[in-house]
């Protein structure tokens, strides 16, 4: 196994770093201290060709120029949308940055995904890893508490990329981090319409025009295009006549994961037989099929990749029953783990 450090680029007189973790099978992941994000997941095919199966920024400047994608970023403090940019905590209303119309999105306009994190690297018998750490200050974007995030990206010798999230605070607050990774398993990075997606979820969350869930309970997937328990091709989903799909131009929806189902999700490309099985401690996942592209981006096209965001449901802090895991205090930390396991017999 091997660890390499290099320069990811400069932006506004800041120099950012990239860390490459490689195992004994020539599989590697590339992560950067700019937002504790992944920018590469390199896999050797049976043909000998090396393919990067995630959509990542090329350098630091592109991160800031095309920020709207959040490619591969650690997103927080709270991932997803919060209605009207506010929530209640201990009977008091907390007002947040409203950076998507009247709503709050992904922690605010400038949040932890654009910070330069501290990091340490390490290796054990079965893996190489880098742990990023950042303390988000009290009051930033409206959130209470000095909140310290530790995010560990680990590559194992059995070809699993593992993310561990550990979050602590000095004042009661809320957190709901995720990684905004986008996958594309095609060697030539054509659109992901030829991918198959399987999700062990009996319920999904219909969303309104702003992307917020329309209720707290979700909707049974039975007899709908959202029933992915046996897998469907993305082209069949994206081109379906379902009103929810048509309104968004594809998937942009939360799924409530069934208990005791492993893996929770699988993404595969039948032609080259590449697949990723995803295991997570999170109760839900948001699937986004990149239904549009940034107007400043001349390289990517709609449906270029698929985002798989494991987390708690969007706007859950405004539900009638707020998940207790979202609320942390000085005596109660947050932990979550997601595993992306390569499933390719040729590696």
């Amino acid at each position: 196994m091997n660890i390499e450090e290099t320069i990811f680029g400069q932006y506004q007189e800041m120099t950012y770093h990239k860390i490459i973790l490689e195992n004994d099978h020539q599989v590697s992941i590339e992560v950067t201290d700019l937002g504790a994000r992944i920018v590469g997941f390199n896999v050797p095919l049976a043909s000998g060709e090396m393919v990067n199966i995630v959509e990542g920024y090329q350098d630091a400047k592109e991160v800031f120029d095309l920020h709207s994608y959040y490619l591969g970023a650690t997103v927080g403090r709270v991932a997803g949308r919060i209605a009207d940019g506010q929530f209640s905590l201990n009977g008091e209303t907390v007002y947040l940055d409203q950076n998507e119309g009247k709503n709050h999105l992904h922690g605010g306009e400038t949040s932890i995904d654009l910070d330069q994190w501290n990091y340490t690297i390490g290796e054990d018998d079965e893996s190489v890893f880098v742990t990023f750490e950042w303390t988000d200050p009290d009051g930033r974007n409206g959130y209470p508490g000095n909140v310290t995030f530790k995010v560990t990206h680990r590559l194992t010798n059995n070809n699993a990329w593992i993310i561990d999230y550990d979050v602590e605070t000095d004042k009661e607050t809320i957190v709901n981090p995720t990684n905004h990774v986008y996958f594309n398993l095609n060697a030539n990075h054509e659109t992901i319409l030829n991918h198959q997606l399987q999700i062990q979820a009996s319920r999904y969350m219909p969303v309104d025009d702003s992307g917020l869930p329309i209720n707290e309970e979700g909707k049974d997937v039975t007899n709908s295009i959202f029933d992915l328990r046996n897998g469907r091709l993305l082209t069949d989903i994206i081109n379906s006549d379902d009103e929810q799909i048509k309104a968004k131009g594809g998937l942009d929806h939360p799924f409530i994961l069934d208990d005791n189902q492993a893996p929770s999700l699988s993404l595969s490309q039948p032609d080259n037989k590449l697949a990723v099985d995803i295991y997570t401690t999170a109760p839900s996942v948001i699937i986004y099929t990149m239904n549009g592209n940034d107007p400043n981006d001349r390289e990517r096209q709609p449906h270029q990749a698929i985002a798989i965001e494991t987390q708690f449901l969007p706007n859950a802090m405004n539900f009638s029953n707020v998940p207790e895991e979202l609320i942390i205090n000085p005596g109660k930390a947050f932990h979550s783990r997601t595993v992306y396991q390569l499933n390719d017999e040729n590696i």
Side-chain angles (χ1 to χ4, degrees), residues 138-328:
D138 182 29
R140 187 182 188 191
N141 294 323
Y143 287 103
N146 294 296
V147 173
T148 297
F149 291 83
K150 289 185 179 179
V151 176
T152 299
H153 292 267
R154 183 182 302 271
L155 179 66
T156 72
N157 237 351
N158 70 340
N159 303 321
W161 164 40
I162 302 173
I163 308 179
D164 283 297
Y165 306 87
D166 292 283
V167 189
E168 297 180 344
T169 183
D170 64 356
K171 183 189 298 184
E172 189 160 84
T173 190
I174 62 168
V175 292
N176 186 14
T178 191
N179 187 280
H180 210 292
V181 61
Y182 289 80
F183 285 98
N184 184 322
L185 305 182
N186 291 315
N188 54 12
H189 271 224
E190 293 179 352
T191 68
I192 41 85
L193 295 179
N194 62 347
H195 288 36
Q196 178 161 301
L197 179 64
Q198 184 175 18
I199 306 179
Q200 298 303 327
S202 300
R203 305 186 73 80
Y204 85 102
M205 305 294 283
V207 295
D208 63 18
D209 292 342
S210 71
L212 286 163
I214 62 175
N215 61 41
E216 300 181 19
E217 297 79 24
K219 185 176 181 179
D220 192 331
V221 301
T222 303
N223 297 323
S224 78
I225 197 67
F226 290 92
D227 189 350
L228 307 182
R229 289 171 290 187
N230 293 316
R232 290 184 190 270
L233 284 173
L234 289 178
T235 186
D236 295 336
I237 302 171
I238 291 170
N239 292 310
S240 80
D241 291 330
D242 184 274
E243 291 301 321
Q244 281 279 314
I245 298 294
K246 289 167 63 176
K248 294 298 179 183
L251 285 170
D252 191 4
H253 296 82
F255 289 78
I256 302 169
L257 298 173
D258 293 340
D259 292 335
N260 303 317
Q261 296 292 322
S264 298
L265 301 86
S266 294
L267 180 70
S268 60
Q269 204 280 46
D271 295 334
N272 64 17
K273 296 182 170 56
L274 266 181
V276 180
D277 295 332
I278 300 169
Y279 306 78
T280 184
T281 61
S284 61
V285 62
I286 288 76
I287 302 295
Y288 174 56
T289 49
M290 196 180 268
N291 303 324
N293 63 327
D294 190 295
N296 297 315
D297 187 5
R298 298 181 179 179
E299 300 295 327
R300 298 171 183 88
Q301 57 183 312
H303 312 309
Q304 181 77 45
I306 178 171
I308 298 175
E309 307 159 60
T310 57
Q311 59 178 86
F312 284 81
L313 288 170
N315 201 40
M317 60 292 307
N318 285 314
F319 287 1
S320 55
N321 293 307
V322 179
E324 63 178 19
E325 294 90 344
L326 296 186
I327 301 174
I328 62 173

Side-chain angles (χ1 to χ4, degrees), residues 14 33 35-36 74 76-77 110-119 131-137 140 146-151 166-168:
M14 294 284 289
D33 58 358
T74 295
R77 298 182 186 191
T110 303
S111 193
I112 62 173
D113 66 290
L114 293 179
D115 290 323
Q116 184 172 34
W117 295 46
N118 300 312
Y119 68 90
T131 297
F132 294 101
E133 184 171 347
W134 177 254
T135 298
D136 200 43
R140 187 182 188 191
N146 294 296
V147 173
T148 297
F149 291 83
K150 289 185 179 179
V151 176
D166 292 283
V167 189
E168 297 180 344

